[in-house]
Amino acid sequence: MQQTVQFGIAGMSCMSCAGRVEKALKAAPGVTDAVVNLATETASVSGSTGLPVLVKAVQQAGYQVVVEQRLYQVSGMSCASCVARVEKAMLAVNGVLQATVNLATEQLNLSVLANIPQAELATALDKAGYQLRTLPQQKQRDVQSFRWFRQPLWSVLGSAALTLPLVLPMVGMLFGRDWMLPPLWQWLLATPVQFYFGARFYKAGWGALKAGTGNMDLLVAIGTSAAYGLSLYLWWSHSGHHGMPHLYFESSSAVLSLVLLGKFLEQRAKRRTTDALKALENLQPSQARVLVKGQWQMCEARLVKAGNIVRVLPGEQVPVDGLVTEGQSHVDEALISGESVPVSKSSGDRVIGGSVNLDGMLELTASSVGSESTLSRIVRLVEQAQGAKAPVQALVDKISAVFVPVVVLIALLTLLGWGLFSGDWTRAILNAVAVLVIACPCALGLATPAAIMAGTGSAARLGVLVKDAVALEQASKINLVVFDKTGTLTQGKPQLSQFTVFGGNEPEVLQWAASVQQHSEHPLAKAVVNAAVGQGLSLHKTSEFSVVAGKGVQARIDSVLYLLGSTGWMQQLGLELPLDQVQVAGASVSWLVRQHDQGPELLALLCFSDGLKPQAQLAVTQLQQAGIAVAMLTGDSQQSAVRVAQQLGLDQVHAQVLPADKAAVIAHYQQQGYRVAMVGDGINDAPALAQADLGIAMATGTEVAVNASAISLMRGDPSLVSTALELSQLTYQKIRQNLFWAFIFNALGIPAAAFGWLNPVIAGAAMACSSVLVISNALLLQRYRRQVGK
């Protein structure tokens, strides 16, 4: 079928770019014509090919199709088959690249072309029997909270009140009492339950039928309607005869009431799975005290801009991320980073928006504000993880696609089997109803998302951010953790502990060393600069500064080239180094050299010491006790690395490893059969983090490392690694448990109902209990407490 697709393209800068993209699109199979507009940065493509082919063609030309992420609320979903149908309906819309539905939050996450209107998405979803809504604003939620009569509790109470008189006679029969109501009264009580309180099942079921599929609501509607219709038939056909016929109005009403109760309890339990996310969202401060034209003024926190000066008084929340410029205080970051002990803050320290200033006044310069703040990014990451699907969910999706039709077929076979072979069509209908009710796949659809939401929420509370559900599965299989040394196991704040000069006076040589390194972000470079500044030395202007990867840095001072770097680099330059001059055991060693026409001149020896983090030993011990091997990987000297390894009890150490080679070390372990987690914090760790089965980054490190990792630790505590792995294992364990119970429930329940061992009322109660059981099991993850002393 011929169609025209329009989409945006990023990365084009000139007409040749547009021509290259146009040529690539026209070469794609099925494309009859393609026009690229450089001014609007859009492409219009005609033909019969699918969107993924066009996206690939653009990427192969070296450009990117503009894609945006959208989050919507979907109403009308009730089970796993609904999830599959919503995703299928969205993917059928031209311009939707990816669709993921979370049944627990009833949210739809879409990757779409930027020009796809919401109305087109809503129309497609409406045809599938569901409604698309933008996420409600707080004001809308407040208004809706007054409409108590529309809430599920009202349906449960109203349905139960009308059902109770119908069920009580069943209880009376156990005690030999006849409390049976006349047929007319039974009908008057059952009809509102069936068609008023149960209207949602008919509406959603009809929507599924129109879409040519089925869902839980359709099963409930068919089953209860059969019991209700059978009662009407028996009542009317018995009219004029003596005695009262046995009717089944109580079965249809009780099933509906129990299902409504189950959905109500399910909704309450599902809300609890988002408690951690809500707690984070509630940390967003509403007001900020900002310096405007020399006066302190209160304004909305969302209006603060980067560079504004903000004052935070004792007891107030920090409104934005920033750097302290004046004042000293302790800040409570427990709900953001999981750090239970207040953190001391003074000039130059970074503070996080949402934390609480405890005992002093702070003035800070706003850095990250609005959607770029740490808190906003945390909330986005948690939402992203909670909306993601675990790989095991693929099996559930496949089953859900055929589940309802298969159940209807089994119910039909049950009806015909009992009716034809026993001749008791009343019993046949009741058994078929029981099959329809017991088979509702609610628990199946909730098994995975409920566990992921509870697990990632608990992790966020403890300062561990999990990016997606794939990371949870990978973390549950890790059997080797490789730590970077500097800044991960050590403080990352080395000090210049020895400075030995071989030519010139010490202050002048230190001034040269600091000047060469003043533009480097390496911790050793900062240590040299701090030592020079501490002695009151001013730094020279430099030119042609460059970093020699894995070796050191070089720069010119007054046209003279100076090199400062590792022992290996200096030996490559042909220098004979006085290694016997090193006086600090286990120190990181660097050398300062001045380059002449006749060769390099050795000027100084620099030794650095960096203490272990207080939690480093605990981190290694916890992992080893859990049966996980631990190794260390560093670009530092062999002597320094071995010293740290001996302190921590590590046997596997890789020292003097260049950044480009770190990934190769990880790959070597993987080839030996290990499932490797790499823990790092620097730019040089990014390749290894990406290569590992699981990348874990200290969020106190560089942005590059965080982006290359699947799990981020919100504070520089290496013992959080074992917490992340243990909680991931528990979460994946809950997913497997939930799926087992959901599958076993249907595997045992459907045959039991088909053989007549379950009546519809018991089937309804069991079905409701299964959903609550699955969510309650997932909520046990919220009781997880970190075993600090383990």
Side-chain angles (χ1 to χ4, degrees), residues 81-309:
S81 58
C82 295
V83 171
R85 189 158 57 258
V86 170
E87 291 177 352
K88 183 179 179 181
M90 289 293 93
L91 290 173
V93 176
N94 200 8
V96 175
L97 301 177
Q98 188 176 15
T100 305
V101 173
N102 187 325
L103 180 62
T105 59
E106 297 180 337
Q107 288 183 355
L108 168 65
N109 196 332
L110 294 177
S111 297
V112 300
L113 297 181
N115 60 347
I116 301 298
Q118 181 178 331
E120 185 176 348
L121 301 172
T123 301
L125 203 56
D126 185 63
K127 290 180 180 178
Y130 305 94
Q131 292 76 49
L132 185 74
R133 304 197 308 266
T134 54
L135 291 176
Q137 301 298 317
Q138 184 63 45
K139 184 178 293 186
Q140 293 173 326
R141 288 197 291 267
D142 292 341
V143 171
Q144 290 174 352
S145 65
F146 291 104
R147 300 176 183 173
W148 59 273
F149 57 86
R150 296 186 63 182
Q151 299 304 308
L153 180 59
W154 165 246
S155 299
V156 173
L157 294 177
S159 179
L162 294 176
T163 300
L164 190 60
L166 294 171
V167 176
L168 277 178
M170 304 294 103
V171 178
M173 291 174 62
L174 298 175
F175 300 97
R177 303 294 182 89
D178 184 8
W179 296 340
M180 189 65 66
L181 296 173
L184 179 60
W185 280 102
Q186 292 187 46
W187 175 75
L188 290 174
L189 290 169
T191 300
V193 176
Q194 188 72 36
F195 299 108
Y196 177 71
F197 295 111
R200 54 158 290 178
F201 299 106
Y202 286 100
K203 182 179 179 181
W206 175 243
L209 275 180
K210 286 195 299 182
T213 56
N215 59 7
M216 182 212 83
D217 299 300
L218 181 63
L219 297 180
V220 172
I222 293 174
T224 56
S225 297
Y228 181 87
L230 175 62
S231 301
L232 285 178
Y233 170 76
L234 293 174
W235 177 24
W236 293 339
S237 63
H238 200 80
S239 179
H241 293 76
H242 295 290
M244 189 177 1
H246 182 76
L247 307 180
Y248 297 95
F249 286 122
E250 82 285 347
S251 294
S252 61
S253 297
V255 167
L256 287 170
S257 298
L258 287 167
V259 174
L260 289 171
L261 175 62
K263 298 301 288 184
F264 171 71
L265 295 175
E266 177 187 307
Q267 290 292 336
R268 289 194 61 183
K270 283 196 293 188
R271 281 196 293 270
R272 285 189 58 198
T273 64
T274 61
D275 284 349
L277 186 58
K278 289 176 183 175
L280 287 172
E281 290 174 337
N282 291 336
L283 287 177
Q284 300 275 10
S286 58
Q287 297 289 312
R289 187 177 286 100
V290 182
L291 185 63
V292 181
K293 296 181 180 179
Q295 299 291 324
W296 293 104
Q297 297 181 8
M298 296 299 294
C299 71
E300 292 186 41
R302 63 184 179 84
L303 299 179
V304 177
K305 297 180 179 179
N308 286 162
I309 305 300

Side-chain angles (χ1 to χ4, degrees), residues 624-662:
Q624 290 174 339
Q625 288 178 347
I628 299 174
V630 183
M632 190 174 72
L633 179 63
T634 179
D636 212 341
S637 67
Q638 182 73 25
Q639 187 179 13
S640 176
V642 169
R643 179 178 173 83
V644 171
Q646 288 174 343
Q647 289 177 295
L648 296 175
L650 296 178
D651 297 325
Q652 302 182 69
V653 183
H654 302 268
Q656 295 177 300
V657 182
L658 297 176
D661 296 332
K662 286 188 174 184

Side-chain angles (χ1 to χ4, degrees), residues 520-583:
S520 173
E521 292 297 317
H522 196 282
L524 299 185
K526 292 181 179 179
V528 177
V529 173
N530 290 338
V533 172
Q535 294 186 24
L537 301 174
S538 60
L539 303 183
H540 297 291
K541 288 185 178 180
T542 62
S543 60
E544 298 181 25
F545 169 81
S546 63
V547 176
V548 182
K551 297 179 180 180
V553 297
Q554 61 185 22
R556 291 187 181 273
I557 300 175
D558 296 330
S559 74
V560 178
L561 181 64
Y562 290 82
L563 295 80
L564 196 155
S566 67
T567 299
W569 189 21
M570 298 304 139
Q571 289 174 338
Q572 287 177 8
L573 297 175
L575 285 169
E576 291 187 10
L577 303 175
L579 295 173
D580 58 333
Q581 295 285 327
V582 177
Q583 300 171 3

